[in-house]
Amino acid sequence: MNKSLFTFLFLGITIVILSITTIVYASEAIINVNNLNVRNGPGTEFDTISQVNQEDYFQVLRVQGDWVEIELDNSTTGWIAKQFVTLEEAKEEEDQLNTIKDEEPVKNDSSGATNQEALQNDLTLDLRHDNNGVKSKVIVIDPGHGGRDVGAIGISGSFEKDHTLKTALVLKSYLELLGAEVILTRDSDQYLSLSGRASVANNKMADLFISIHYNSTPQYPTASGVSTYYYSERDKLLAETIQQEILVSTSMEDRGIHQESYQVTRMNHRPSLLLELGFLSNPEQEENIQSNVFQSKLAQGIISGIEHYFR
Ligand SMILES: [Zn+2]
C-alpha cells in the first residue's frame, strides 16, 4: 500500500474510534412511555424496527433535533422521539470515561479457579453465631458492569467488571455460609442492562439489593476510600450502617453516604444500595483490591453491616 494512503487510513480509523468513545458515554436515555417505536432514522417517515418500554434504559449515541439515537444492543442502533424520554448525563461518569471499548481487553484472570481456592483459605469470617441477622434473607448482589461494559479501567489495566464479580462471589460464599439465599444478577462476564439488574430484586421480592462498584478518577490518582449511595430515604439507615461497618473492617477512608439517583437503586422497590468500594485509579488501592485479604475484609464489613441492619 502507498505510504501516504496508509497514513490517511490510519488517521481516519483513529478519529472514528475517538469520536465513538466520546459520544457513547455522553448521556443516557430513560424511556417514559410504553410501546415507543424505535425507527431506523430520525423521523416518523422511517421504518419501525423495534419498540421500547417505560423505564428501559439506553446509551445515547446522539441527539438530532427532536430525535435521539440509542444503542439497542451491541450491534443495533435506532431512533426514538425525544419528547418521550428523559436524557440524563451519565451518572457513573468516572467509570465510563475510562471505558475504551475499542481497545483489546487486557486479560485479567482474577476470578480463576486458583484464586477462588486461595480465597477460601483466607476466609476469616466469624461464623460462630447461629443467630445471625441474615439467615433466610433473600439478598441480591449485583456485580457492576460486565461483558462489553468493562467499567473503570485500573491504573495497571485491570477492569472494574472483574473486581466487582470477584467481590460478589466472595460475598455470596460468606452469606450462604450464614444461611442467606443469595442471588447474583450475573455470575460470569456478561452484559446486563441496569433495569434488568433492578428487576431481579423486584421480582424476587429481595430483602436487600447491593450493587458493587469500584471508582476511578485518573485526574486525581491519590483519591481513595469508600462511599455508599442510596436513593430512597427509607434506605438511609441501611447506607449508614453498611458504610460504617466497611470502614471498621477495612480501615479505608470515609467518603460518606450520599443520596443519588442511580438507576439500579431508583428503579428498585426493595431496600437497595450502591457501593463504591475503592479507587482503581489509585495504584495502592488497585493493588489492595486485587488481594484476597482485602476482599475478605470487605465482605466481612458488608456482612456485618447487613447483620446490624436486619437486627
Ligand atoms: Zn461502576
Side-chain angles (χ1 to χ4, degrees):
M1 192 186 298
N2 167 316
K3 196 179 171 199
S4 61
L5 177 62
F6 178 80
T7 310
F8 172 77
L9 282 176
F10 177 77
L11 282 175
I13 289 164
T14 309
I15 289 162
V16 167
I17 290 172
L18 286 176
S19 59
I20 287 170
T21 337
T22 317
I23 295 166
V24 162
Y25 295 109
S27 60
E28 294 148 354
I30 298 160
I31 311 301
N32 296 327
V33 293
N34 282 322
N35 306 315
L36 178 62
N37 288 332
V38 182
R39 297 178 182 276
N40 63 7
T44 49
E45 68 274 25
F46 290 93
D47 289 340
T48 301
I49 53 169
S50 178
Q51 283 195 330
V52 291
N53 292 304
Q54 193 160 17
E55 297 199 337
D56 284 350
Y57 168 100
F58 301 95
Q59 299 277 11
V60 172
L61 298 175
R62 60 181 150 155
V63 178
Q64 192 175 308
D66 293 332
W67 292 84
V68 180
E69 187 178 22
I70 56 170
E71 186 181 58
L72 282 174
D73 60 45
N74 235 340
S75 57
T76 324
T77 66
W79 294 84
I80 50 177
K82 194 173 152 192
Q83 60 178 306
F84 301 118
V85 305
T86 303
L87 295 180
E88 285 199 350
E89 284 304 304
K91 290 287 182 198
E92 290 178 67
E93 194 178 357
E94 73 282 358
D95 295 347
Q96 294 172 344
L97 281 175
N98 300 306
T99 310
I100 302 162
K101 288 173 146 188
D102 304 278
E103 267 185 13
E104 188 60 29
V106 179
K107 288 275 174 267
N108 184 319
D109 202 20
S110 60
S111 53
T114 327
N115 268 317
Q116 282 304 317
E117 282 160 30
L119 260 173
Q120 294 304 321
N121 296 335
D122 272 339
L123 293 186
T124 50
L125 190 70
D126 182 357
L127 299 170
R128 283 168 302 184
H129 47 283
D130 358 286
N131 250 341
N132 67 71
V134 304
K135 202 174 167 110
S136 303
K137 291 286 193 289
V138 177
I139 299 172
V140 175
I141 309 285
D142 173 42
H145 312 279
R148 62 191 164 90
D149 172 14
V150 302
I153 299 177
I155 202 93
S156 81
S158 71
F159 291 157
E160 181 186 0
K161 66 171 183 177
D162 294 321
H163 301 308
T164 60
L165 181 58
K166 181 172 175 176
T167 305
L169 290 169
V170 177
L171 262 174
K172 181 176 191 277
S173 63
Y174 280 150
L175 284 166
E176 285 178 342
L177 285 170
L178 291 168
E181 183 188 334
V182 181
I183 299 157
L184 298 181
T185 55
R186 67 174 178 99
D187 60 5
S188 61
D189 183 18
Q190 65 178 116
Y191 178 81
L192 278 179
S193 71
L194 294 175
S195 55
R197 293 168 193 262
S199 303
V200 175
N202 293 336
N203 294 339
K204 300 280 180 185
M205 298 290 284
D207 295 295
L208 180 62
F209 172 97
I210 296 183
S211 189
I212 305 289
H213 288 259
Y214 290 94
N215 231 322
S216 178
T217 50
Q219 64 276 35
Y220 304 111
T222 55
S224 70
V226 176
S227 41
T228 296
Y229 298 89
Y230 63 101
Y231 175 70
S232 165
E233 201 60 38
R234 167 202 68 198
D235 296 336
K236 189 176 180 184
L237 176 66
L238 172 65
E240 275 170 3
T241 312
I242 289 188
Q243 172 80 2
Q244 188 53 39
E245 293 301 317
I246 295 171
L247 298 178
V248 169
S249 177
T250 63
S251 309
M252 286 173 85
E253 190 184 321
D254 183 8
R255 298 182 72 88
I257 66 163
H258 308 275
Q259 190 163 29
E260 182 69 76
S261 179
Y262 285 118
Q263 188 168 4
V264 288
T265 48
R266 184 179 66 240
M267 290 176 62
N268 218 306
H269 310 310
R270 314 300 304 165
S272 50
L273 295 179
L274 184 146
L275 309 180
E276 288 281 0
L277 295 168
F279 282 73
L280 297 173
S281 46
N282 178 321
E284 211 175 295
Q285 209 144 79
E286 189 203 25
E287 198 182 327
N288 209 12
I289 286 164
Q290 300 187 59
S291 83
N292 294 333
V293 173
F294 173 80
Q295 288 292 331
S296 176
K297 282 182 183 172
L298 203 51
Q300 288 181 49
I302 294 169
I303 292 172
S304 175
I306 296 174
E307 286 193 82
H308 275 85
Y309 171 75
F310 283 135
R311 283 217 196 93

